[in-house]
């Protein structure tokens, strides 16, 4: 069977991702959620002209050399002043609304007090140190578009407009099951032949980063009955099921047969490295992904194929990871027949963005994934020499 290209399978998956509904979510729980509607400002921010300084509000034209102004009122932030009489000044603090009649604020360090009256030492400009009404946002303005994934600053912005909740893609519940007789959980003692389950916390964390609720099915032993019971439990409690391992076609791989018995399954051989087998189908009507058991392959397959699918379900506009060009510091002399995602580190330099790769690109080396901050993409049939341009996908911050 010919290998299927990453792009082709990605397109097929995105076309098949079910449309998911929307719900109203409190801001406190909305980090990472996807906006289901365009959001427009209902008010001006700031709602009125206010002082950018601790100082005095006055009319710029009233400031004449040698003359002092009586201070007729005091306006802390949160208090409302009264209209400013011509030829007077108001003591004002940062954030307080500028009283009607005033057209400038002078900083307190540019003034002195003479016999209780204000002497201004620097002639002010009209409008000085005043933040105009609507300077940040004007009422009616489009603030954030449908399909945008909410980041920390967006939550602050929405709060500044008075939104306590927003309409976002409905909370997605994703079940994670780890197949393999050899697996034990961290904290348990390993017997001969056993290894720790690294996929479970890794997949759970990758899902949590998407704002998804993780339903943990735990370890599933390699029998048809256990596999079937786990698939039943997962599909009954979640909107998407992700399993790791057991999708090869060896005697100990039961996922394919059990999913087929409960629904439908495609098992693809993908032109992706690390990775290769990927199962996709439905279990009792619920979308199902069978990832390779190998943790490095599982990580890459999740990032490249499953993550975009989940983002599509959530209604995100941007579902594919952004790719950036970087200058290779490494040599990759052997062209491959599968698209490779090398575990790489991007380092900014005076020369622009440069990228180097982990010395061990074997799919058994999970420490390379922990080390990397990016994946460098090597297309089928391509080689790389130092100085060549390669595309990279960022996985996290550059530190
Ligand atoms: P499988 O896809 O089940 O044939 O597994 C492929 C390889 O990945 C084997 O070496 C497994 O022991 C390993 N593996 C499978 N699942 C996990 C897991 N959850 N954590 C760590 N290694 C795993
Ligand atoms: Mg297995």
């Amino acid at each position: 069977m010919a290998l299927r290209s990453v792009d082709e399978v990605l397109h097929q998956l995105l076309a098949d991702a079910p449309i998911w509904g929307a719900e109203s979510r409190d801001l406190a729980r909305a980090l990472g959620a996807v906006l289901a509607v365009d959001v427009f400002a209902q008010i001006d921010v700031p709602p009125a002209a206010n002082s950018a300084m601790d100082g005095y509000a006055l009319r710029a034209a009233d400031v004449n050399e040698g003359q002092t102004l009586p201070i007729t009122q005091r306006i802390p932030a949160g208090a409302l002043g009264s209209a400013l009489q011509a030829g007077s000044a108001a003591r004002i603090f940062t954030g307080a609304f500028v009283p009607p009649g005033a057209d400038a604020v002078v900083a307190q360090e540019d003034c002195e007090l003479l016999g209780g009256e204000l002497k201004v030492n620097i002639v002010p400009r009209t409008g000085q140190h005043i933040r105009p009404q609507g300077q940040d946002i004007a009422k009616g303005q489009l603030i954030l578009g449908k399909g945008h994934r909410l980041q920390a600053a967006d939550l602050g912005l929405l709060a500044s407009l008075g939104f306590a909740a927003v309409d976002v893609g409905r909370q997605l519940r994703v079940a994670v099951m780890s197949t393999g007789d050899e697996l034990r959980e961290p904290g348990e003692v390993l017997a001969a032949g056993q290894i720790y389950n690294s996929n479970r916390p890794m997949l759970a964390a990758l899902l949590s980063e998407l704002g998804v609720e993780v339903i943990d099915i735990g370890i599933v032993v390699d029998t048809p009955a256990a596999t079937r019971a786990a698939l039943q439990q997962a599909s009954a409690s979640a909107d998407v099921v992700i399993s790791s391992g057991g999708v090869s076609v060896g005697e100990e791989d039961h996922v394919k047969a059990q999913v087929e018995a409960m629904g439908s399954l495609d098992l693809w051989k993908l032109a992706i490295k690390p990775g290769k087998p990927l199962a996709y189908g439905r279990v009792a009507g619920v979308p199902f992904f069978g990832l390779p058991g190998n943790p490095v392959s599982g990580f890459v397959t999740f990032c490249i194929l499953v993550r975009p699918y989940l983002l599509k379900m959530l209604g995100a506009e941007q579902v594919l990871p952004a790719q950036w060009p970087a200058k290779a510091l490494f040599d990759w002399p052997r062209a491959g027949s599968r698209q490779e995602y090398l575990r790489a580190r991007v380092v900014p330099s005076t020369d622009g963005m440069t990228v180097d790769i982990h010395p061990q690109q074997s799919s058994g080396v999970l420490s390379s994934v922990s080390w990397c901050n990016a994946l460098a993409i090597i297309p089928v049939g391509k080689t790389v020499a130092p100085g060549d341009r390669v595309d990279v996908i960022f996985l996290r911050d550059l530190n």
Side-chain angles (χ1 to χ4, degrees):
M1 187 169 65
L3 298 182
R4 298 192 57 191
S5 82
V6 174
D7 279 355
E8 179 193 325
V9 166
L10 191 53
H11 274 98
Q12 183 174 342
L13 287 173
L14 293 179
D16 202 53
I19 305 289
W20 206 231
E23 67 184 11
S24 173
R25 183 103 45 93
D26 286 352
L27 277 199
R29 294 179 48 247
L31 182 65
V34 178
L35 277 181
V37 290
D38 287 338
V39 177
F40 295 91
Q42 293 166 338
I43 54 172
D44 284 331
V45 179
N50 66 92
S51 178
M53 288 282 191
D54 290 343
Y56 298 88
L58 39 68
R59 292 170 210 253
D62 287 347
V63 176
N64 296 310
E65 225 170 300
Q67 256 179 277
T68 58
L69 302 173
I71 300 165
T72 51
Q73 53 181 319
R74 185 174 185 279
I75 318 173
L80 265 194
S82 49
L84 190 81
Q85 297 304 311
S88 74
R91 179 75 170 123
I92 196 163
F93 297 88
T94 305
F97 291 0
V98 174
D103 62 11
V105 167
V106 289
Q108 59 193 22
E109 46 275 32
D110 295 336
C111 309
E112 53 193 299
L113 292 180
L114 291 179
E117 296 217 331
L118 183 71
K119 177 162 180 288
V120 181
N121 293 326
I122 296 177
V123 176
R125 283 174 295 105
T126 303
Q128 157 181 308
H129 301 322
I130 293 178
R131 305 170 181 146
Q133 176 173 346
Q135 180 189 46
D136 184 359
I137 300 159
K139 183 175 175 178
Q141 191 182 322
L142 177 67
I143 296 309
L144 293 166
K146 178 179 173 176
H148 176 77
R149 283 187 70 216
L150 294 171
Q151 308 299 308
D154 302 327
L155 300 181
L157 185 66
L158 290 164
S160 79
L161 291 160
F163 290 100
V166 275
D167 287 342
V168 296
R170 194 146 56 83
Q171 180 76 61
L172 197 57
R173 294 165 306 166
V174 180
V176 174
M177 48 189 267
S178 316
T179 76
D181 279 346
E182 71 278 34
L183 302 178
R184 287 293 174 276
E185 294 301 357
E188 296 176 4
V189 176
L190 288 186
Q194 298 178 337
I195 59 169
Y196 287 119
N197 180 1
S198 38
N199 285 338
R200 175 188 177 196
M202 185 176 72
L203 290 173
L206 287 166
L207 290 164
S208 299
E209 282 172 5
L210 293 177
V212 157
E213 183 188 334
V214 179
I215 295 174
D216 183 13
I217 306 293
I219 293 170
V220 182
V221 295
D222 292 320
T223 66
T227 306
R228 189 177 180 83
L231 287 168
Q232 264 159 359
Q233 187 195 344
S235 57
S237 55
D239 309 306
V240 175
V241 176
I242 298 178
S243 79
S244 70
V247 288
S248 307
V249 281
E251 287 156 32
E252 300 294 334
D253 297 315
H254 301 288
V255 171
K256 179 174 187 284
Q258 294 309 314
V259 174
E260 275 171 346
M262 296 173 68
S264 59
L265 185 92
D266 285 320
L267 185 57
W268 294 315
K269 287 204 185 328
L270 299 187
I272 185 172
K273 192 175 176 187
K276 193 168 179 178
L278 176 73
Y280 172 70
R282 291 278 191 284
V283 186
V286 174
F288 169 84
F289 284 94
L291 299 184
N294 177 301
V296 178
S297 303
F299 181 91
V300 169
T301 314
F302 179 91
C303 293
I304 302 303
L305 296 159
V306 183
R307 190 176 182 277
Y309 181 96
L310 297 175
L311 285 172
K312 176 86 192 293
M313 273 183 90
L314 291 166
E317 177 142 74
Q318 172 79 34
V319 299
L320 299 181
Q323 295 183 14
W324 301 88
K327 196 168 111 179
L329 300 176
F330 61 92
D331 202 10
W332 193 256
R334 274 184 306 117
S337 56
R338 294 185 272 161
Q339 176 146 301
E340 303 221 25
Y341 292 87
L342 304 179
R343 275 69 71 210
R345 249 192 206 181
V346 169
V347 181
S349 77
T350 47
D351 224 10
M353 199 92 86
T354 58
V355 58
D356 209 350
I357 57 171
H358 193 274
Q360 292 205 55
Q361 293 291 330
S362 155
S363 66
V365 181
L366 188 54
S367 46
S368 70
V369 183
S370 172
W371 173 88
C372 76
N373 63 16
L375 296 171
I377 306 170
I378 314 292
V380 173
K382 293 280 193 255
T383 58
V384 176
D388 285 356
R389 201 199 90 150
V390 292
D391 281 339
V392 300
I393 291 172
F394 288 114
L395 297 171
R396 46 186 170 263
D397 299 339
L398 298 181
N399 55 21

